Amino acid sequence: MSTVLVIGASRGIGLEFVRQYREAGARVIATARDDAGLARLNALGAQALRLDVAEPASVSGLAWQLDGEKIEVALYVAGVLAGGNVGDPPSAEVFDQVMRINVLAPMRVLPQLAQVLAPDARLVVLSSRMGSMGLRTNGNSWLYRASKAAVNSVVKDISFGLQGKAVCVAMHPGWVKTEMGGPGADLDVTQSVADMRATVANLRPEHNGTFINHDGQALAW
Ligand SMILES: NC(=O)c1ccc[n+]([C@@H]2O[C@H](COP(=O)([O-])OP(=O)(O)OC[C@H]3O[C@@H](n4cnc5c(N)ncnc54)[C@H](OP(=O)(O)O)[C@@H]3O)[C@@H](O)[C@H]2O)c1
């Protein structure tokens, strides 16, 4: 039975990953930061761990909680969207919140995950097409875009250390109907996650250090 880890699984895309991987028979370890989120994970039969990725004390406890695990698929999902459009400077508080959760937290958590990966594992970081500079056509939500461009850089850097051992990618889930995506988004969360699971299953060593759409298409950084 394969072991899947989902970081940031209290709701939205993360929770749906847990539901679908459990349904497929995987053993799932998943994190949430409050009791309600942990209860939802337990109800799906996951092993629930408490983790607030923005809290250094919480993050520093992750390595021992995962000690001895051999994770085949690790999904880093936690993220926030905040701040205005281009020309609207964010407050220091909003800047810190978005950059802490979307960039600093992966820089703290991903090296720990790299230590518990099984041979030939998949490490997938939920990024966004909004972080792509090659594909960008406007400056809406510029702080969020900057944070996802930065986490793409983090994924690329982590991928060098995993070359030949695992496959690490940044993945765009599509525009998805969650609290973040809103009700007008293109994709139901079930479809987005089904697409991403299929894409993850098809990842090959040559995909290490790339940026991929939910349907498996390559994306420009
Ligand atoms: N939805 C879209 O259209 C879309 C498009 C492109 C990329 N994405 C990316 O996909 C990922 C998931 O998005 P989503 O749509 O599922 O968003 P969501 O419904 O807003 O859920 C966000 C998740 O991140 C968790 N999180 C936020 N701050 C955290 C922290 N400090 N510690 C631990 N967990 C934290 C939340 O936990 P709490 O419940 O505790 O807040 C929640 O589980 C994000 O990285 C997002 O940027 C989404």
Side-chain angles (χ1 to χ4, degrees), residues 10-11 13 33 52-53 77 79 127 144 148 174-176 178:
S10 63
R11 55 193 166 92
I13 292 169
R33 57 180 167 166
D52 184 334
V53 299
V77 183
S127 178
Y144 178 74
K148 291 300 189 179
W175 182 25
V176 189
T178 60

